């Protein structure tokens, strides 16, 4: 019988090839058409039961969806780049989610893993000292780049699927691997939760690589993500001749500017860390016209859901107040959201204990110190916990060529087999989990 490490070693070339293919055909959030068809096809060939597209994504719970035109253009682009036509209809219109299930037929809990598939809206570096460029697998899609390692996550998900199928006689319970679109901008997970994809999951683990964790280290239960809400605000005023009839105008630019200054004064909360940022302010049409339109792109964050919700509610009041001051209309659109991250300690302890026993890490820790950004797998964690399940967020440390979201981001591919070994170990040994380690 092959050991886990033999099975992984036999797949190293495949892992590298998958990762470099996903990296080359980088696709931004909700546009993962090529990637999703390739993932579905590989999982199907492995023998997994698949749920695809609308079965795993609630249309109305999607946030920050690109326009109809962009969705159509990018689907056509994906087909030209080798997206598999036999799978594309499932994902058409921005439904690029996949859940692969393996029912072992033996009693046991449902163990779930979540990986994400989207790239960032970023141009990849074409410098010769950037390894993906030098080795010919840098992104071929302008303005889209895997600069956060989700190409690695997708590959880890497929590698895990492949290894677990090869060991299926040693597994019990049910294995579920969730491939999520649109994590960037925290837009996709809520729609998968709304479709019920984690409603039967007892033991849940989401993953990330890198994030400043040193190579060789495993963080078993990261809790450093902030709850967040992303909103677009459109102010609509009335244009008028700025010299001749200014009193007839309603100034949307001033409302947006007033709102911006007030929003940045909102970060006091006794509950802990709170943040507000207005990252974009666009307004007006011409020098001699009272501006009749303005757009703000705003985010709030908080160390707990409560802190974020309080700051968000205050932000809505500030925005409405600024609009009233200048007599303009305003509309708020929710573009993304994530919850705060609180893993369940028994599952963190189990991951910790299994990682020590596996012996492939230099260092195994429960959590990392510094606060990070936000992550929408927290919606899945929250849902699993509401049902009494266990949930955690694991981070696999690795060497990075540059920071996340940087045009020269790249990660050491050796992290992929290590992550697969760890996640496969959790699936193989889940029967040992008693909840009281
Ligand atoms: Zn990421």
């Amino acid at each position: 019988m092959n050991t886990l490490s033999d099975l992984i070693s036999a797949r190293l070339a495949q892992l590298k090839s998958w990762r470099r293919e996903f990296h080359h055909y980088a696709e931004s959030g909700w546009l993962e058409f090529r990637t999703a068809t390739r993932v579905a096809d590989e999982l199907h060939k492995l023998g997994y039961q698949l749920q695809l597209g609308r079965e795993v994504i609630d249309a109305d719970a999607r946030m920050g969806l690109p326009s109809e035109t962009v969705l159509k253009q990018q689907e056509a682009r994906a087909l030209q780049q080798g997206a598999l036509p036999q799978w594309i209809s499932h994902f058409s219109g921005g439904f690029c989610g996949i859940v692969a299930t393996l029912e072992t037929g033996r009693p046991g809990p449902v163990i779930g893993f979540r990986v994400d598939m989207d790239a960032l809206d970023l141009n990849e570096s074409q410098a010769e000292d950037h390894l993906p460029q030098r080795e010919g697998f840098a992104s071929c899609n302008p303005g889209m780049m895997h600069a956060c390692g989700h190409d690695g996550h997708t590959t880890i998900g497929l590698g895990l699927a492949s290894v677990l199928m090869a060991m299926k006689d040693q597994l019990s319970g049910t294995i579920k691997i969730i491939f999520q679109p649109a994590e960037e901008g925290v837009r996709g997970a809520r729609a998968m939760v709304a479709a019920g994809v984690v409603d039967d999951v007892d033991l849940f683990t989401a993953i990330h690589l890198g994030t400043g964790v040193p190579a060789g280290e495993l963080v078993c239960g990261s809790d450093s993500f902030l709850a967040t809400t992303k909103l677009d605000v459109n102010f609509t005023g009335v244009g008028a001749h700025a010299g001749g009839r200014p009193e007839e105008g309603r100034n949307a630019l001033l409302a947006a500017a007033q709102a911006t200054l007030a929003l940045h004064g909102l970060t006091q909360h006794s509950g802990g860390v709170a943040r507000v940022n207005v990252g974009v302010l666009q307004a007006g049409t011409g020098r001699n016209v009272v501006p009749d339109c303005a757009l703000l792109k705003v985010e709030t964050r908080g160390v707990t859901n409560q802190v974020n919700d309080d700051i968000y509610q205050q932000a809505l009041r500030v925005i409405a107040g600024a609009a009233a001051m200048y007599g303009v209309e305003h509309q708020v659109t929710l573009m993304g959201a994530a919850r705060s991250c609180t893993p369940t300690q028994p599952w963190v302890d189990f991951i910790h204990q299994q990682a020590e026993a596996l012996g492939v890490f230099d260092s195994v820790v429960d959590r990392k110190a510094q606060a990070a950004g936000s992550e929408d797998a927290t919606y899945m964690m929250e849902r699993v916990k509401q049902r009494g399940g266990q949930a955690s967020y694991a981070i696999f440390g690795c060497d990075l060529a540059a920071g996340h979201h940087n045009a020269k981001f790249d990660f050491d591919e050796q992290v992929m087999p290590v992550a697969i070994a760890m996640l496969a170990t959790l699936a193989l040994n889940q029967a040992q989990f008693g909840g009281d380690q």
Side-chain angles (χ1 to χ4, degrees):
M1 185 165 29
N2 282 321
T3 65
L4 176 59
S5 74
D6 291 339
L7 288 167
I8 294 173
S9 297
R11 286 161 174 75
L12 292 178
Q14 174 70 82
L15 295 177
K16 183 171 157 180
S17 145
W18 275 333
R19 184 265 162 154
R20 294 184 174 204
E21 176 186 341
F22 297 139
H23 190 92
H24 184 56
Y25 296 103
E27 298 174 302
S28 297
W30 296 124
L31 306 172
E32 306 88 340
F33 298 110
R34 188 190 185 285
T35 308
T37 64
R38 286 285 293 114
V39 168
D41 197 57
E42 294 289 349
L43 292 166
H44 174 71
K45 285 191 287 191
L46 285 168
Y48 278 82
Q49 235 173 282
L50 297 185
Q51 290 171 284
L52 305 167
R54 288 171 192 268
E55 291 177 286
V56 296
I57 292 180
D58 182 292
D60 297 335
R62 295 176 298 173
M63 293 181 282
L65 197 70
S67 70
E68 205 54 36
T69 314
V70 170
L71 287 166
K72 283 214 174 78
Q73 277 167 357
Q74 294 300 313
E75 186 180 323
R77 184 266 317 148
L79 284 165
Q80 280 161 16
Q81 292 179 344
L84 300 167
Q86 66 269 39
W87 297 103
I88 196 80
S89 65
H90 295 282
F91 308 120
S92 189
F95 291 91
C96 302
I98 300 158
V99 177
T101 303
L102 170 59
E103 277 167 14
T104 66
R106 284 173 290 277
V110 178
I111 186 165
F113 301 98
R114 178 282 213 159
V115 295
D116 44 18
M117 302 189 289
D118 57 322
L120 282 146
D121 298 332
L122 187 72
N123 284 311
E124 182 154 13
S125 170
Q126 297 182 352
E128 275 304 302
D129 66 349
H130 180 55
L131 186 136
Q133 173 69 18
R134 198 167 63 241
E135 303 210 357
F137 67 95
S139 175
C140 63
N141 289 326
M144 298 184 188
M145 175 195 173
H146 273 293
C148 198
H150 300 187
D151 49 341
H153 300 166
T154 306
T155 304
I156 290 166
L158 278 184
L160 177 67
S162 174
V163 164
L164 289 180
M165 189 54 85
M167 302 184 92
K168 68 173 189 297
D169 295 341
Q170 297 167 58
L171 295 166
S172 58
T174 300
I175 318 292
K176 255 184 142 172
I177 310 177
I178 299 166
F179 293 81
Q180 184 202 309
E183 190 283 324
E184 299 293 350
V186 289
R187 296 172 289 161
R190 192 179 73 154
M192 294 194 91
V193 170
V197 304
V198 293
D199 285 358
D200 59 348
V201 175
D202 302 303
L203 306 169
F204 176 83
T205 308
I207 63 155
H208 212 293
L209 58 79
T211 76
V213 175
E217 183 163 301
L218 171 68
V219 179
C220 302
S222 178
D223 60 356
S224 56
F225 296 110
L226 301 173
T228 187
T229 309
K230 321 286 188 193
L231 50 151
D232 280 2
V233 186
N234 283 285
F235 293 97
T236 308
V238 178
H241 193 297
R245 299 269 178 186
E247 71 282 1
E248 290 180 1
R250 292 285 178 271
N251 196 317
L253 181 153
L254 288 177
Q258 194 71 248
T260 299
L261 292 173
L263 285 167
H264 275 260
L266 283 186
T267 51
Q268 298 185 65
H269 201 294
S270 65
V273 170
R275 309 223 195 285
V276 178
N277 191 53
V278 180
V280 172
L281 191 171
Q282 290 164 347
T285 53
R287 187 187 310 279
N288 56 358
V289 181
V290 173
D292 67 348
C293 58
L295 165 69
L296 294 184
K297 296 193 178 204
V298 185
E299 63 172 22
T300 65
R301 300 191 200 237
V303 67
T304 63
N305 295 331
Q306 188 65 53
V307 170
N308 183 57
D309 289 348
D310 288 349
I311 299 285
Y312 175 61
Q313 291 304 325
Q314 284 191 57
L316 294 180
R317 288 195 292 275
V318 159
I319 290 160
M325 279 175 78
Y326 292 93
V328 305
E329 305 290 320
H330 77 288
Q331 190 187 17
V332 175
T333 309
L334 189 63
M335 301 302 287
R339 311 299 282 166
S340 63
C341 189
T342 46
T344 48
Q345 195 60 42
W347 187 234
V348 175
D349 291 343
F350 184 75
I351 296 171
H352 197 125
Q353 177 203 90
Q354 293 291 319
E356 298 275 11
L358 184 62
V360 298
F361 300 101
D362 302 328
S363 154
V364 179
V365 301
D366 274 6
R367 46 186 55 81
K368 68 174 191 159
Q370 93 271 25
S374 300
E375 163 59 83
D376 68 356
T378 48
Y379 271 110
M380 297 183 183
M381 294 170 68
E382 188 173 73
R383 179 72 184 131
V384 169
K385 289 192 296 177
Q386 279 167 358
R387 289 188 51 265
Q390 298 282 322
S392 192
Y393 194 97
I395 301 177
F396 296 92
C398 67
D399 288 329
L400 303 175
H404 290 260
H405 300 203
N406 182 298
K408 287 192 171 182
F409 176 85
D410 186 33
F411 65 88
D412 184 345
E413 289 168 340
Q414 289 181 46
V415 71
M416 299 190 300
V418 172
I420 292 166
M422 183 65 232
L423 300 179
T425 298
L426 294 178
L428 285 162
N429 296 343
Q430 52 149 310
Q432 294 168 24
F433 176 71
D436 57 351
Q437 275 77 16

